[in-house]
Amino acid sequence: MTVERGGSPSKLFGGLSAFPLTPTDTAGRVQADVLCRFLERIHEAGADSIGLLGSTGGYAYLTREERRRAVRVAVECVGGRTPIIVGVGALRTDEARALALDAEAAGADGLLLAPVSYAPLTDEEVFRHFTAVAGAGGLPLCIYNNPSTTRFTFGDDLIARLARLPNVAAVKMPLPADGDFTGEMGRLRAITPGGFAVGYSGDWGAADALLAGCDAWYSVVAGLLPAPALALTRAAHAGNGSEAACINDAFRPLWELFRTFGSFRVMYAMADLLGLAKIEPPRPILPLSQEAYGRVGAALQNIRI
């Protein structure tokens, strides 16, 4: 495991990582001014990192050139002030390697890699894919375990193999089906090198994951509401369960909408309702109905923004 620019991998992949939308026009071109607005909001709130071009950032809907453009915009906007972790998932290994090199050349601080696939992948195929991408440059890389979109689930043995590759420094896990964060983290930390960071996505389970001692919350909602998400993160990491529960309770109506409609769609409605941007998701994804919009607006009223 190597060390990224300016610090340790465990620090880069720790705390609150905020995942913003990537605003685009109808032709799929990144709207630089709107993206910078989102990123400045995250920086000003004090998030520990930005997860650019994750699932919330719609990386799968963007061309390589627009992905490069998004990274350049982000680095120009907040580079050197808030660390930037860039998603480099792609169907082909050579394309993912190229995206990793693009991100490094543009000034990113770390990488996030999901095993995007059409044909189901085997463990060995995923291992070789990660070996190639992690070896493409010098940036630390986080394993993106996101079976809801990739249809691939990383088992403990594969994570252990990958954690011993140069530059592979962290894993972003889905919420455990049995809710046993402590048990899962114990297993993963027992089979990975010291300093390997274990974090979680799935915003509705973040409070439990943080209170159980995970290293990072990879947060969808923090892409637009970084301040309350950071307050939840700090309270939980400080062991203040009552404060974390109070903040999480305010989020619960929004968590329910994330689970009902998908957080990607809800975030576009939130951007409009918060007065940050009037943008639409890339087709074929459709905006929420007016009825659902109203429910999102009501959910936002509960949160101290």
Side-chain angles (χ1 to χ4, degrees), residues 122-131 134 143 154-166 168 188 191-193 196:
T122 67
D123 279 13
E124 186 59 28
E125 288 166 340
V126 170
F127 179 77
R128 295 190 185 194
H129 181 66
F130 271 73
T131 300
I143 302 163
F154 287 82
D156 290 357
D157 290 346
L158 180 56
I159 292 172
R161 287 183 73 194
L162 292 171
R164 285 167 173 76
L165 291 175
V168 177
L188 291 174
I191 60 174
T192 55
F196 185 83

Short mmCIF file of all heavy atoms in Angstrom, two decimals, residues 122-131 134 143 154-166 168 188 191-193 196:
data_model
loop_
_atom_site.label_atom_id
_atom_site.label_comp_id
_atom_site.label_asym_id
_atom_site.label_seq_id
_atom_site.Cartn_x
_atom_site.Cartn_y
_atom_site.Cartn_z
N THR A 122 -16.24 -13.01 -12.75
CA THR A 122 -15.76 -13.93 -11.73
C THR A 122 -14.83 -13.18 -10.79
O THR A 122 -14.35 -12.08 -11.09
CB THR A 122 -14.98 -15.09 -12.36
OG1 THR A 122 -13.77 -14.59 -12.95
CG2 THR A 122 -15.81 -15.81 -13.43
N ASP A 123 -14.53 -13.78 -9.65
CA ASP A 123 -13.60 -13.16 -8.72
C ASP A 123 -12.24 -12.93 -9.36
O ASP A 123 -11.60 -11.89 -9.14
CB ASP A 123 -13.42 -14.05 -7.48
CG ASP A 123 -14.55 -13.89 -6.47
OD1 ASP A 123 -15.59 -13.29 -6.82
OD2 ASP A 123 -14.39 -14.37 -5.34
N GLU A 124 -11.77 -13.89 -10.14
CA GLU A 124 -10.45 -13.75 -10.76
C GLU A 124 -10.45 -12.61 -11.78
O GLU A 124 -9.46 -11.86 -11.88
CB GLU A 124 -10.02 -15.05 -11.44
CG GLU A 124 -8.60 -15.04 -11.97
CD GLU A 124 -7.54 -14.79 -10.88
OE1 GLU A 124 -7.80 -15.13 -9.70
OE2 GLU A 124 -6.47 -14.26 -11.22
N GLU A 125 -11.53 -12.47 -12.53
CA GLU A 125 -11.62 -11.37 -13.49
C GLU A 125 -11.59 -10.02 -12.78
O GLU A 125 -10.91 -9.08 -13.22
CB GLU A 125 -12.88 -11.52 -14.34
CG GLU A 125 -12.79 -12.66 -15.34
CD GLU A 125 -14.11 -13.05 -15.95
OE1 GLU A 125 -15.18 -12.73 -15.35
OE2 GLU A 125 -14.10 -13.69 -17.01
N VAL A 126 -12.31 -9.92 -11.67
CA VAL A 126 -12.31 -8.67 -10.92
C VAL A 126 -10.93 -8.41 -10.31
O VAL A 126 -10.44 -7.27 -10.33
CB VAL A 126 -13.40 -8.70 -9.83
CG1 VAL A 126 -13.25 -7.52 -8.87
CG2 VAL A 126 -14.78 -8.68 -10.48
N PHE A 127 -10.29 -9.44 -9.80
CA PHE A 127 -8.95 -9.27 -9.23
C PHE A 127 -7.97 -8.74 -10.28
O PHE A 127 -7.21 -7.79 -10.02
CB PHE A 127 -8.44 -10.59 -8.67
CG PHE A 127 -7.06 -10.48 -8.08
CD1 PHE A 127 -6.86 -9.91 -6.83
CD2 PHE A 127 -5.94 -10.93 -8.79
CE1 PHE A 127 -5.58 -9.79 -6.28
CE2 PHE A 127 -4.67 -10.81 -8.25
CZ PHE A 127 -4.49 -10.25 -7.00
N ARG A 128 -7.99 -9.30 -11.47
CA ARG A 128 -7.07 -8.85 -12.52
C ARG A 128 -7.42 -7.44 -12.99
O ARG A 128 -6.53 -6.64 -13.33
CB ARG A 128 -7.08 -9.84 -13.68
CG ARG A 128 -6.54 -11.21 -13.29
CD ARG A 128 -6.33 -12.10 -14.48
NE ARG A 128 -5.92 -13.44 -14.08
CZ ARG A 128 -5.42 -14.33 -14.91
NH1 ARG A 128 -5.28 -14.05 -16.19
NH2 ARG A 128 -5.07 -15.53 -14.47
N HIS A 129 -8.71 -7.13 -13.04
CA HIS A 129 -9.15 -5.79 -13.40
C HIS A 129 -8.60 -4.76 -12.41
O HIS A 129 -8.02 -3.74 -12.80
CB HIS A 129 -10.69 -5.78 -13.40
CG HIS A 129 -11.32 -4.48 -13.77
ND1 HIS A 129 -11.23 -3.91 -15.02
CD2 HIS A 129 -12.10 -3.62 -13.02
CE1 HIS A 129 -11.92 -2.78 -15.05
NE2 HIS A 129 -12.45 -2.58 -13.84
N PHE A 130 -8.74 -5.04 -11.12
CA PHE A 130 -8.24 -4.12 -10.10
C PHE A 130 -6.72 -4.05 -10.11
O PHE A 130 -6.15 -2.97 -9.91
CB PHE A 130 -8.75 -4.55 -8.72
CG PHE A 130 -10.08 -3.94 -8.34
CD1 PHE A 130 -11.24 -4.39 -8.94
CD2 PHE A 130 -10.15 -2.93 -7.42
CE1 PHE A 130 -12.47 -3.83 -8.61
CE2 PHE A 130 -11.36 -2.35 -7.08
CZ PHE A 130 -12.54 -2.81 -7.68
N THR A 131 -6.06 -5.16 -10.35
CA THR A 131 -4.60 -5.16 -10.43
C THR A 131 -4.12 -4.21 -11.51
O THR A 131 -3.18 -3.43 -11.31
CB THR A 131 -4.08 -6.58 -10.69
OG1 THR A 131 -4.49 -7.45 -9.63
CG2 THR A 131 -2.56 -6.60 -10.78
N ALA A 134 -5.19 -0.40 -10.47
CA ALA A 134 -4.42 0.09 -9.33
C ALA A 134 -2.96 0.32 -9.70
O ALA A 134 -2.30 1.19 -9.13
CB ALA A 134 -4.51 -0.89 -8.16
N ILE A 143 -11.87 0.23 -3.11
CA ILE A 143 -12.73 -0.79 -3.72
C ILE A 143 -14.18 -0.35 -3.55
O ILE A 143 -14.62 -0.07 -2.44
CB ILE A 143 -12.53 -2.15 -3.04
CG1 ILE A 143 -11.08 -2.61 -3.13
CG2 ILE A 143 -13.48 -3.19 -3.63
CD1 ILE A 143 -10.74 -3.72 -2.13
N PHE A 154 -18.38 -8.39 -3.50
CA PHE A 154 -17.04 -8.76 -3.05
C PHE A 154 -17.13 -9.59 -1.79
O PHE A 154 -17.66 -9.13 -0.77
CB PHE A 154 -16.22 -7.50 -2.76
CG PHE A 154 -15.79 -6.73 -3.96
CD1 PHE A 154 -16.66 -5.85 -4.57
CD2 PHE A 154 -14.50 -6.87 -4.47
CE1 PHE A 154 -16.27 -5.12 -5.69
CE2 PHE A 154 -14.10 -6.16 -5.58
CZ PHE A 154 -14.98 -5.28 -6.19
N GLY A 155 -16.60 -10.80 -1.82
CA GLY A 155 -16.49 -11.61 -0.63
C GLY A 155 -15.26 -11.23 0.16
O GLY A 155 -14.36 -10.52 -0.32
N ASP A 156 -15.20 -11.70 1.40
CA ASP A 156 -14.06 -11.37 2.26
C ASP A 156 -12.73 -11.80 1.65
O ASP A 156 -11.74 -11.07 1.73
CB ASP A 156 -14.23 -12.05 3.62
CG ASP A 156 -15.37 -11.45 4.45
OD1 ASP A 156 -15.99 -10.47 3.99
OD2 ASP A 156 -15.63 -11.98 5.54
N ASP A 157 -12.70 -12.98 1.04
CA ASP A 157 -11.43 -13.47 0.49
C ASP A 157 -10.92 -12.57 -0.62
O ASP A 157 -9.71 -12.30 -0.71
CB ASP A 157 -11.60 -14.90 -0.02
CG ASP A 157 -11.79 -15.91 1.09
OD1 ASP A 157 -11.52 -15.57 2.26
OD2 ASP A 157 -12.20 -17.05 0.79
N LEU A 158 -11.82 -12.09 -1.48
CA LEU A 158 -11.39 -11.23 -2.58
C LEU A 158 -10.93 -9.88 -2.04
O LEU A 158 -9.91 -9.34 -2.50
CB LEU A 158 -12.53 -11.04 -3.58
CG LEU A 158 -12.21 -10.15 -4.79
CD1 LEU A 158 -10.99 -10.65 -5.55
CD2 LEU A 158 -13.42 -10.06 -5.72
N ILE A 159 -11.64 -9.32 -1.07
CA ILE A 159 -11.21 -8.06 -0.47
C ILE A 159 -9.82 -8.22 0.15
O ILE A 159 -8.95 -7.34 0.00
CB ILE A 159 -12.23 -7.58 0.58
CG1 ILE A 159 -13.54 -7.17 -0.11
CG2 ILE A 159 -11.67 -6.39 1.38
CD1 ILE A 159 -14.68 -6.87 0.85
N ALA A 160 -9.58 -9.35 0.82
CA ALA A 160 -8.27 -9.59 1.43
C ALA A 160 -7.17 -9.63 0.36
O ALA A 160 -6.08 -9.08 0.56
CB ALA A 160 -8.29 -10.89 2.22
N ARG A 161 -7.43 -10.30 -0.77
CA ARG A 161 -6.44 -10.34 -1.86
C ARG A 161 -6.18 -8.94 -2.41
O ARG A 161 -5.01 -8.55 -2.61
CB ARG A 161 -6.94 -11.22 -3.01
CG ARG A 161 -6.94 -12.72 -2.76
CD ARG A 161 -7.41 -13.44 -4.02
NE ARG A 161 -6.40 -13.42 -5.07
CZ ARG A 161 -6.65 -13.74 -6.35
NH1 ARG A 161 -7.88 -14.08 -6.73
NH2 ARG A 161 -5.68 -13.70 -7.24
N LEU A 162 -7.24 -8.20 -2.66
CA LEU A 162 -7.10 -6.87 -3.25
C LEU A 162 -6.39 -5.91 -2.30
O LEU A 162 -5.61 -5.05 -2.73
CB LEU A 162 -8.47 -6.31 -3.62
CG LEU A 162 -9.19 -7.01 -4.77
CD1 LEU A 162 -10.62 -6.50 -4.90
CD2 LEU A 162 -8.44 -6.81 -6.08
N ALA A 163 -6.64 -6.05 -0.99
CA ALA A 163 -6.05 -5.14 -0.01
C ALA A 163 -4.54 -5.24 0.04
O ALA A 163 -3.88 -4.33 0.57
CB ALA A 163 -6.64 -5.41 1.37
N ARG A 164 -3.99 -6.30 -0.50
CA ARG A 164 -2.54 -6.48 -0.50
C ARG A 164 -1.89 -5.98 -1.79
O ARG A 164 -0.66 -6.04 -1.93
CB ARG A 164 -2.20 -7.94 -0.23
CG ARG A 164 -2.42 -8.29 1.25
CD ARG A 164 -2.42 -9.76 1.56
NE ARG A 164 -2.46 -9.97 3.01
CZ ARG A 164 -3.54 -9.84 3.78
NH1 ARG A 164 -4.70 -9.50 3.21
NH2 ARG A 164 -3.50 -10.02 5.08
N LEU A 165 -2.71 -5.48 -2.72
CA LEU A 165 -2.15 -4.90 -3.93
C LEU A 165 -1.59 -3.50 -3.64
O LEU A 165 -2.13 -2.79 -2.80
CB LEU A 165 -3.23 -4.78 -5.01
CG LEU A 165 -3.77 -6.06 -5.62
CD1 LEU A 165 -4.91 -5.74 -6.58
CD2 LEU A 165 -2.66 -6.80 -6.37
N PRO A 166 -0.53 -3.11 -4.34
CA PRO A 166 -0.05 -1.73 -4.21
C PRO A 166 -1.17 -0.74 -4.54
O PRO A 166 -1.91 -0.93 -5.51
CB PRO A 166 1.08 -1.65 -5.24
CG PRO A 166 1.54 -3.06 -5.41
CD PRO A 166 0.30 -3.90 -5.26
N VAL A 168 -4.06 -0.16 -3.23
CA VAL A 168 -5.43 -0.45 -2.79
C VAL A 168 -5.49 -0.21 -1.28
O VAL A 168 -4.85 -0.92 -0.51
CB VAL A 168 -5.87 -1.87 -3.16
CG1 VAL A 168 -7.26 -2.17 -2.60
CG2 VAL A 168 -5.86 -2.05 -4.68
N LEU A 188 -13.25 -7.96 8.37
CA LEU A 188 -12.46 -7.30 7.33
C LEU A 188 -11.13 -6.79 7.89
O LEU A 188 -10.09 -6.90 7.24
CB LEU A 188 -13.25 -6.15 6.72
CG LEU A 188 -14.46 -6.56 5.87
CD1 LEU A 188 -15.25 -5.34 5.42
CD2 LEU A 188 -14.02 -7.37 4.65
N ILE A 191 -8.41 -9.45 8.23
CA ILE A 191 -7.83 -10.07 7.04
C ILE A 191 -7.18 -9.05 6.10
O ILE A 191 -6.70 -9.41 5.02
CB ILE A 191 -8.88 -10.87 6.25
CG1 ILE A 191 -10.03 -9.98 5.79
CG2 ILE A 191 -9.40 -12.04 7.09
CD1 ILE A 191 -11.04 -10.67 4.89
N THR A 192 -7.15 -7.77 6.50
CA THR A 192 -6.54 -6.74 5.67
C THR A 192 -5.39 -6.08 6.41
O THR A 192 -5.31 -6.14 7.64
CB THR A 192 -7.59 -5.67 5.27
OG1 THR A 192 -8.21 -5.14 6.45
CG2 THR A 192 -8.65 -6.27 4.36
N PRO A 193 -4.49 -5.42 5.70
CA PRO A 193 -3.33 -4.80 6.36
C PRO A 193 -3.74 -3.66 7.28
O PRO A 193 -4.81 -3.06 7.12
CB PRO A 193 -2.51 -4.27 5.17
CG PRO A 193 -3.01 -4.98 3.97
CD PRO A 193 -4.44 -5.29 4.23
N PHE A 196 -5.78 -0.19 6.44
CA PHE A 196 -6.79 -0.36 5.39
C PHE A 196 -8.13 0.14 5.93
O PHE A 196 -8.57 -0.27 7.00
CB PHE A 196 -6.89 -1.84 5.01
CG PHE A 196 -7.81 -2.12 3.85
CD1 PHE A 196 -7.38 -1.96 2.55
CD2 PHE A 196 -9.11 -2.56 4.08
CE1 PHE A 196 -8.23 -2.23 1.48
CE2 PHE A 196 -9.96 -2.83 3.02
CZ PHE A 196 -9.52 -2.66 1.72
#
